[in-house]
Amino acid sequence: MAEQGSLRLAFLDTSLFEDGAVIRGAALITDPETRPCEFRCTSSIKPSTVQRVLYGDTLEEYILVELVGLPLMRAAKEKASLVLVKNPLFLQMRPALACPVVLVSRDSRSALSSDAGSELKPVIISSHREFPAEASTARQMLATVMQKRDLLEPFERVRAALAEAHKQRVGDTVSGGARA
């Protein structure tokens, strides 16, 4: 397990643009205080109609794992100690990575708290079905972080940065060729 000071958290997420025709993904790698160490994003991914037909129900998982998650994590200079995701399809990349990948979601019971706005809201951490112990490992790694930070807030930063990257056409070629 990574020492607290060397802990690197990768927040991995995607956003849709252009009425859902374009998807972009990004990874924000942070220190334990969730301060940025590295940010990477994909170019626009625009599946064609033929690709949508041929991939069918598997298209979204293929895009998230093979075109977004794995390339971003492999290209990162800062190696993640733990990858945090909000979309459960990203868990499918876990067998191909050396570090744990965990799904983070808001604990719905936190809404029942009478003073929920003044404290950090609890989260649920889940792992890939082939790596069930990693949820517990992740909770241990994140114990100190979760006392000070909302683990879902960095995902908001990722989405805001993706919107800006898309607006600036970061990584897009002039020809705008399709990938998938």
Side-chain angles (χ1 to χ4, degrees):
M1 193 174 344
E3 298 265 336
Q4 195 64 29
S6 64
L7 183 68
R8 292 294 178 258
L9 306 174
F11 295 88
L12 183 63
D13 207 357
T14 58
S15 289
L16 295 173
F17 298 97
E18 300 173 27
D19 297 322
V22 174
I23 189 169
R24 278 183 178 259
L28 171 62
I29 301 175
T30 75
D31 67 10
E33 298 294 321
T34 72
R35 292 183 189 116
C37 296
E38 183 175 357
F39 177 78
R40 291 189 171 269
C41 69
T42 66
S43 57
S44 295
I45 300 169
K46 304 174 190 178
S48 69
T49 303
V50 171
Q51 289 165 326
R52 289 180 189 280
V53 170
L54 293 174
Y55 279 89
D57 291 344
T58 68
L59 181 62
E60 185 180 7
E61 180 180 334
Y62 172 74
I63 290 172
L64 267 58
V65 173
E66 301 296 333
L67 300 182
V68 175
L70 290 175
L72 286 172
M73 297 317 303
R74 289 176 177 153
K77 289 184 173 75
E78 290 280 340
K79 294 305 170 197
S81 310
L82 180 66
V83 179
L84 297 96
V85 300
K86 285 176 48 181
N87 187 322
L89 291 176
F90 274 127
L91 290 174
Q92 299 311 313
M93 70 181 187
R94 172 56 185 100
L97 293 177
C99 69
V101 178
V102 294
L103 179 69
V104 182
S105 57
R106 184 67 67 210
D107 186 344
S108 61
R109 295 172 295 178
S110 68
L112 302 176
S113 173
S114 60
D115 197 15
S118 65
E119 60 187 53
L120 295 173
K121 296 178 177 124
V123 295
I124 297 171
I125 297 174
S126 311
S127 57
H128 187 280
R129 68 184 171 281
E130 293 176 22
F131 301 85
E134 289 185 348
S136 177
T137 301
R139 278 188 212 84
Q140 291 173 353
M141 293 171 78
L142 296 167
T144 304
V145 178
M146 290 190 297
Q147 291 173 4
K148 300 186 267 182
R149 304 281 182 249
D150 177 0
L151 280 183
L152 294 177
E153 184 275 333
F155 290 104
E156 295 170 21
R157 289 187 263 157
V158 170
R159 288 193 166 218
L162 272 172
E164 189 60 31
H166 189 71
K167 188 168 101 179
Q168 294 180 20
R169 301 290 182 211
V170 171
D172 288 349
T173 60
V174 177
S175 64
R179 283 180 57 191

